[in-house]
Amino acid sequence: MAVTEILRQCKAQGVTLHILEGNRLKVRGPKGRMEETLLDSIKAHKADLVRYLISEAFFDEQMDKAIADLDQAGINLMDYPAPTRHRAFVLEGKLTEAANAGDPTRFLDLLKRWRSCFN
């Protein structure tokens, strides 16, 4: 099973994957909700998952999706007041830092905060 398919199934089952210090993979999800086949796939592709989650492709994909969601909703950043745009700009800098550090957990948290600027 491909890494992207594993991540898609994780999302569908409410399971999150986190990279811990030392590139250790932490799996979190609702008890009894994760299918055994998904857990087996995670175990079998652990190294590939870790490589992907700290790769540039992951960060680019997440950011592209966030921007596409704004575009689809018809959100124009210039329609927001200057303080909101400034907050988003500051968060974009922090997003870049998290991506460059290979920290997907921090990146996704910051991305959630960035998206909330426009809700």
Side-chain angles (χ1 to χ4, degrees), residues 22-80:
N23 288 341
R24 293 180 298 132
L25 186 65
K26 172 89 173 172
V27 180
R28 286 192 161 159
K31 289 189 179 199
R33 186 158 178 211
M34 186 179 355
E35 295 175 5
E36 196 66 33
T37 55
L38 177 57
L39 183 58
D40 292 343
S41 294
I42 291 170
K43 288 177 181 177
H45 299 281
K46 181 180 173 183
D48 293 332
L49 285 163
V50 168
R51 273 192 297 279
Y52 179 77
L53 289 172
I54 61 174
S55 74
E56 185 176 323
F58 170 77
F59 298 108
D60 288 345
E61 179 184 299
Q62 294 299 314
M63 199 67 212
D64 289 348
K65 182 179 180 332
I67 292 169
D69 290 347
L70 292 179
D71 288 344
Q72 185 176 8
I75 294 173
N76 181 342
L77 305 183
M78 296 312 292
D79 292 341
Y80 287 83

